[in-house]
Amino acid sequence: MDIEKLLGELTISEKCALLVGADAWHTIAIPRLGIPSIMMADGPHGLRKQLESGNSIEIQESYQAVCFPAEVTVASSFDPELAFQMGEGIAKECLNKDVQVLLGPGMNIKRSPLCGRNFEYYSEDPVVSGEMGAAFVRGLQSKNVGACLKHFALNSQESYRMISDSVADERAFLEIYTQAFRRALQENPAMVMCSYNKVNGVYASENPVLLDDVLRKKFGYQGVVVSDWTAVNRRPKALKATLDLEMPGYVYSVHQLEKAVRHGIVSVEEIDASVRRILALVESKSANRIEDFDLADNHALARRIAEGSIVLLKNDEQILPLAPTDKVALIGRLARETRYQGGGSSHINPFQVDSLLDRMPPEADCQYAEGYTLQGDGWDEKLLAEAQALATGADKVIVVVGLTDEYESEGYDRRHLNLPRGHQALVEAACAVNANVIVVLQIGSPVLMPWKDDVKAIVNAYLLGEAGAGALADVLYGKVNPSGRLAETFPAHLEEAPWWGHYALGNGEVHYQESVYVGYRYYSSAKIPTLFPFGYGLSYTRFEYSDLTLDRDILRVPGAVSVSVRVRNTGDRFGKEVVQLYIENNQDRQFKPAIELKQFKKIALAPGEETIVRFQLTEADFQYFEPAIKMFVSDSGDYTVQIRKDAETLLLSAPLRLENPGQKDYAMNFMKAESYRICGGLKFSDADFEALIGRKKQPVRVQKRRPFDLNSNLEDISVTRLGAYLAQKAMAMGSTRIQGADPVYRRMVEQSMRETPLRSMVVFSGGVIRMQQMLALVELLNGHLLRALGHLLRRD
């Protein structure tokens, strides 16, 4: 494909059409010039290609595919090789189904465990997220299937995700929330997807600072930037911000671009720049051919990935692993109907779902009782009594509990960290009659565990994918030694979280007021105990660390220091260990977290075997972003290199002095923000946050009134009599369209309808509503009858 020649042959109308999807999943084809279409499909923990792959963006029935462990689960493996294999496996299914780009991985940082979509993201830490995401991209693109990093950026909540305004200081933005994207961008993903929300006052889809200055110029990305589905506010402004492709396709946006070119708002050169990137992507995938593939192969791979991702949180008296002779009571409906994935657009139509009940060893002495239902809070007094009776006579009790899709899903956030009432009661009932209780958690994000001290063992299975039950049974009976580690903090008390009082409060500004103190960076700095810390996980064997060695005690910039540590398996089982290297920061100048993970490696050792694990640290591992000069810099001073078992457990440490001859002094507000210093108590005052962002905070909730516009939603217009009537009718129509759907999907759709901008509802309507009709409606709501009639006489 001669792209430059094609640019000369394409008409302006054809070029504009190439920058808007042909339908919900395809780019447009230009047959007269031999330009084919390519297809995108949802991910990231499997392929979700809809049976109806045309213009509908509703979540419909999809082709069968292997449901791999969710990203939260894979991150717990701390094993980039497994992420690579997962990407490679999904790519084979994409090739089999003629899909050229998978919409994944999800790279957003887990600011709060209340985010309903956290199961679709890796970690609270940008190093873990970056390394796991980069490996997934490498695996997917090793088969020439494009990856799409999402959602760029500051997309940390589901509530009002299409209209809220994420406000963060420069350091938090660049050190935490975009750092994982920056690492994964080194693998040259085919696409980057912008988020729905505003970033510091401007919609991500048309934010030139976000997309052009940061993503393209600072991070060097040259590929295609695609919108999240219906995320575009104004197409010409999005183009000028270097957003290349609007999805899904809608003719109104093509006409907007054509008009913008005619009026000189957008230049032909700007159009050509985006078309050039689209054509390069199409050309790179046009040689892909449909290949045969057996889903059973990926089912087996999904099980192996699950094996490496299960986290053992507690194992008093070595109650695990179980022996085949143990008389076991297996209780909890999730043992029979596994929760193996999260809800929303990533929901996979699975190839074969295994259950723990079915995958218990054939020789195991096991009886089963349900204990609760999977509807609502799960409470059922009869089922609870039956399960408790079974637990009474058992040697050991496995209680399988977790979060159902009603408690966490795309589209809405959690309001608390509690398990459903019926699940909680089942654990308590089992503990009341048996001292040997083992809890298995099927969750997509942290939960509180008031019964933690009453049970002997806790196994965090997260969301293991369709084949994970077999891996879980192997861990429970010792065929597999658990080696997962938590890639997120499990807080002991929600109100102690750094974002408390600043998360998902309304449709206005969302204040990232804790700045760089995300997750363990806060808890370790504030010395607040957690339920389970970041990096935590147990094994059936023991590992001994010794001989932490640095090849020099002064790192002169530029330069590097080699770090080595000896690790020995002193137990009697083969096992895998995650070696975690942290830096204890120098606090002389800018505020910084007390410790930060810099590198990690997963190793495998036989009983009695030892190895030397090596790392190399450079200036980059000591840098923070300095807003005064818009650069990452390092400070001279004393640091400590640490090997930790987890964020709360120090194993070995060694001092290191960094000398930076190019260091300069900067008079910055950051240096004056005393409430952000550890010695200042980490109170994150409003005054200091306003100094960091350079302006006053705006309200977190706004009651919008006339004049309404396309960014208003049903909640906004309901303050008028006409708007309230129309909102009621719209909700009724929406409910009719999803009649018969499961309660989780209904809740997601209904909440989204209330919060979605009117412009997006046009596209979501699938052609039922035209844009000019919606513009006319807005004018009617504003009391402008003649303007409304004018819109009705125009084409989209």
Side-chain angles (χ1 to χ4, degrees), residues 181 221 225 596:
F181 284 93
Y221 182 61
V225 175
E596 293 182 281

Side-chain angles (χ1 to χ4, degrees), residues 582-595:
Y582 294 74
I583 294 294
E584 183 179 28
N585 279 313
N586 178 284
Q587 301 287 341
D588 290 347
R589 284 163 52 86
Q590 290 281 27
F591 64 81
K592 301 172 190 172
I595 61 170

Side-chain angles (χ1 to χ4, degrees), residues 75-214:
S76 299
S77 74
F78 275 70
D79 190 344
E81 176 58 27
L82 290 182
F84 176 92
Q85 292 174 21
M86 178 171 159
E88 184 180 43
I90 294 174
K92 294 175 182 177
E93 294 190 40
C94 290
L95 292 174
N96 179 253
K97 291 292 186 287
D98 198 23
V99 170
Q100 286 74 48
V101 177
L102 185 86
L103 302 177
M107 300 298 296
N108 295 108
I109 292 297
K110 298 180 182 183
R111 180 187 177 213
S112 164
L114 292 179
C115 177
R117 205 174 182 178
N118 269 359
F119 58 83
E120 207 171 313
Y121 306 131
Y122 289 113
S123 178
E124 68 187 30
D125 179 77
V127 173
V128 176
S129 296
E131 292 301 324
M132 299 301 287
F136 181 88
V137 171
R138 280 199 308 276
L140 192 69
Q141 298 197 159
S142 69
K143 298 296 182 182
N144 202 37
V145 173
C148 177
L149 307 185
K150 61 184 187 182
H151 309 87
F152 194 74
L154 293 180
N155 175 209
S156 301
Q157 66 185 55
E158 291 298 287
S159 302
Y160 297 102
R161 61 178 176 167
M162 291 188 174
I163 56 176
S164 61
D165 182 6
S166 297
V167 178
D169 64 79
E170 287 184 280
R171 284 191 59 196
F173 178 71
L174 290 169
E175 293 178 34
I176 305 294
Y177 292 100
T178 61
Q179 197 61 238
F181 284 93
R182 189 172 196 171
R183 169 64 187 91
L185 285 170
Q186 295 175 15
E187 308 302 330
N188 193 29
M191 286 181 166
V192 173
M193 181 189 293
C194 78
S195 55
Y196 285 117
N197 52 282
K198 299 173 188 174
V199 175
N200 293 325
V202 182
Y203 279 105
S205 63
E206 59 187 38
N207 193 320
V209 174
L210 181 70
L211 301 184
D212 193 17
D213 294 351
V214 175

